[in-house]
Amino acid sequence: MKAIVVDDEIAMLSALKEAVEASTDIEKVDAFSACSAVLEYIEENEVDIAFLDIMMRGIGGIELAKKIQEVHPECKIVFCTGYSEYAIEAFQQHVSGYLMKPITKEAVQKEIDHIKELQVSKKVLKVNCFGNFEVLANGKPLSFKRSMTKELFAYLIDRNGSGVTSQQICAVLWEDGDEKAKLVYLRQLFSDLRHTINEANISGIVRVNGYQYSVETEKIDCDYYSYLKTGFPKFHGEYMSQYSWAEGTCSVLAYENKRD
């Protein structure tokens, strides 16, 4: 898990960071003493779990939690505070945990273990790439606000978990046009995609790592991914037929299919 810790008291922040780093489930921890710095960070970085002080200068921990979950709906929030009277308001934000200061390594690990137990491992998103590209969430077709949002998701699926930058995506989806305008539109498409996935009550599908975007392949039931791993279902020559840029992958699949 990638974690952030936020507290405007430096001594408390240091102790919290040390407690979170002690968990073997945490691969990376970034610490912040200002809410404004967190808001900049989450726009370009993935966050799986956030440990937030409640009483902070600026917008405060509860409002910060709301903004984090707007960008990363799948992010788990654990509030860390010395004021138990904020518990009800905190849990109204649908947080995952509430720790009382002073924070201990054992308390942090207990919260992480609880989060792990609640996470649903089954794949709830089904993606069909052979033939036309289609997406089903919990057995029902996923409704995209824009056709380009669906195409953006198709391209991320095609990359099979590999990270791609905004510039790479723009080069594939639009051959011509002003570069700045394309990047602005792409940000809108990503916003639409996050909203669509969030509305379907699915989390952790699209990931952001620095300036690269990718999909979490282990959470997706995809015929293309299954074919690459097992050879099933059989490939019959059509792959994301509605998208011209998918012809490259289709040719590779056809070549490999003939060799087999």
Side-chain angles (χ1 to χ4, degrees):
M1 293 182 180
K2 295 181 177 65
I4 61 172
V5 295
V6 188
D7 196 314
D8 59 1
E9 295 184 29
I10 300 303
M12 292 293 185
L13 179 63
S14 178
L16 178 57
K17 185 172 187 284
E18 181 179 348
V20 175
E21 284 179 327
S23 173
T24 57
D25 293 296
I26 302 297
E27 60 185 274
K28 180 184 179 183
V29 183
D30 286 298
F32 301 90
S33 59
C35 296
S36 57
V38 177
L39 297 178
E40 293 181 9
Y41 179 86
I42 62 175
E43 290 296 331
E44 300 293 345
N45 295 275
E46 186 70 23
V47 180
D48 298 306
I49 182 169
F51 294 84
L52 311 177
D53 182 31
I54 291 183
M55 293 294 291
M56 290 189 291
R57 291 182 293 273
I59 63 175
I62 292 177
E63 189 63 30
L64 178 60
K66 294 178 182 178
K67 292 186 178 299
I68 290 174
Q69 291 186 322
E70 285 175 4
V71 179
H72 301 292
E74 70 279 7
C75 181
K76 307 304 180 185
I77 304 294
V78 177
F79 282 124
C80 309
T81 183
Y83 303 93
S84 59
E85 61 265 31
Y86 288 101
I88 295 177
E89 187 177 0
F91 281 106
Q92 286 177 340
Q93 183 56 30
H94 306 294
V95 300
S96 299
Y98 190 94
L99 294 175
M100 291 296 296
K101 294 179 179 179
I103 308 299
T104 65
K105 298 175 183 178
E106 293 75 17
V108 167
Q109 187 60 54
K110 185 176 180 179
E111 289 300 328
I112 293 174
D113 290 341
H114 177 64
I115 289 170
K116 288 164 58 180
E117 290 174 2
L118 293 178
Q119 288 177 331
V120 180
S121 60
K122 68 178 182 178
K123 299 174 181 178
V124 294
L125 195 69
K126 181 175 177 60
V127 174
N128 296 323
C129 297
F130 293 171
N132 281 335
F133 176 76
E134 299 297 341
V135 184
L136 293 93
N138 299 307
K140 298 180 180 179
L142 195 62
S143 178
F144 293 89
K145 183 177 180 180
R146 294 176 170 87
S147 61
M148 285 301 301
T149 305
K150 183 177 181 179
E151 185 170 359
L152 166 62
F153 189 49
Y155 181 64
L156 294 177
I157 292 291
D158 178 74
R159 294 299 84 202
N160 191 15
S162 297
V164 289
T165 65
S166 296
Q167 289 75 16
Q168 288 174 314
I169 296 171
C170 288
V172 170
L173 299 188
W174 303 287
E175 294 182 359
D176 303 312
D178 179 74
E179 293 300 321
K180 289 184 178 180
K182 289 192 290 186
L183 288 172
V184 169
Y185 187 43
L186 181 61
R187 283 196 291 271
Q188 181 61 58
L189 294 181
F190 267 114
S191 177
D192 287 349
L193 182 57
R194 291 191 192 101
H195 179 75
T196 299
I197 293 175
N198 189 37
E199 284 290 301
N201 294 316
I202 301 173
S203 65
I205 299 296
V206 178
R207 300 186 66 87
V208 183
N209 184 13
Y211 294 98
Q212 294 194 328
Y213 301 89
S214 63
V215 293
E216 187 63 64
T217 59
E218 295 303 317
K219 294 186 177 183
I220 301 171
D221 179 10
C222 175
D223 52 0
Y224 171 45
Y225 298 162
S226 178
Y227 176 80
L228 294 177
K229 291 180 179 179
T230 69
F232 296 97
K234 292 296 184 181
F235 174 65
H236 295 292
E238 293 187 343
Y239 173 85
M240 295 191 183
S241 301
Q242 67 264 57
Y243 304 128
S244 60
W245 50 260
E247 293 175 359
T249 301
C250 185
S251 297
V252 172
L253 290 172
Y255 175 75
E256 294 294 335
N257 195 44
K258 287 181 180 179
R259 287 181 59 187
D260 296 338

